[in-house]
Amino acid sequence: MAQDIVIAPSVLSANFARLGAECDDVLLAGADMIHLDVMDNHYVPNLTVGPMVCQALRDHGVEAPIDVHLMVEPVDAAIEAFAAAGASIISIHPEATRHLDRSLQLIRDLGCKAGLVLNPGTPVSVAKQVLSRLDLLLIMSVNPGFGGQAFIPYSLDKLREARTLIDEAGLPVRLEVDGGVKVHNISEVARAGADTFVVGSAIFGAPDYREVIERLRESAGQP
């Protein structure tokens, strides 16, 4: 069964000139954790932030979980760097490592929760053999690399398939979705089985973060 709803604002859509304050604001507005998109201009066609930004948020005083999505290749050195910088959850793509089981175990050995990310074209079956290594399974509902993209409709089928896989295994793996999640579609995404929602522009593009987060929770089925 799906777990309690978690709202994870993606700071990719935040004002980077005041990133610490933006994180403070969304957490005070009711967000559960901060989502950090790490891109290397190699695995994906964009370049964003490194471990110093994660460390800076911790030094700023962010105590909430930091959910790090690594879109980098190779990935093991980045796992070590972000674990040292204060990441709580580190999620990786299967295409970014030659030894997926080893990389997932490295995340856990470093004291972080481990996540696996499936791109739109990556089948859910990839997660089956390593499901016991996971704390989180992230379904990308856009192609990784840029914020503000539209939700890919067939992601709902992947979420339903992933939900069934997790439930049949009886494991407490969170099912996260990232890309194009808005107030108008989060209810459908939640019904498909997601319990953790990465939301970027829908939150940071709004004048009132608290209002949007409350509407997201309500639409997803959690008052």
Side-chain angles (χ1 to χ4, degrees), residues 2 4 31 58 62 71 95 102 104 107 128 130 155 170-171 180 182 197 206:
D4 289 343
R58 290 301 190 204
V62 172
M71 289 165 271
E95 301 89 352
R102 180 184 296 163
L104 291 169
I107 297 171
K128 184 175 182 179
V130 296
S155 303
L171 295 170
K182 313 283 186 185
F197 304 88

Side-chain angles (χ1 to χ4, degrees), residues 38-105:
V38 180
M39 308 181 194
D40 65 353
N41 200 33
H42 174 66
Y43 180 72
V44 291
N46 198 0
L47 185 64
T48 57
V49 300
M52 287 194 304
V53 172
C54 184
Q55 184 65 62
L57 292 176
R58 290 301 190 204
D59 292 343
H60 173 75
V62 172
E63 296 180 353
I66 297 179
D67 178 27
V68 175
H69 175 192
L70 292 181
M71 289 165 271
V72 305
E73 182 186 7
V75 76
D76 285 0
I79 289 170
E80 294 176 355
F82 276 91
S88 308
I89 306 165
I90 298 178
S91 297
I92 63 174
H93 290 256
E95 301 89 352
T97 175
R98 292 187 179 185
H99 303 286
L100 179 57
D101 181 85
R102 180 184 296 163
S103 295
L104 291 169
Q105 188 58 45

Side-chain angles (χ1 to χ4, degrees), residues 149-166:
Q149 299 180 67
F151 186 91
I152 296 174
Y154 67 71
S155 303
L156 295 171
D157 292 331
K158 288 187 71 175
L159 284 166
R160 283 187 279 266
E161 184 180 354
R163 180 80 266 157
T164 298
L165 178 68
I166 292 168

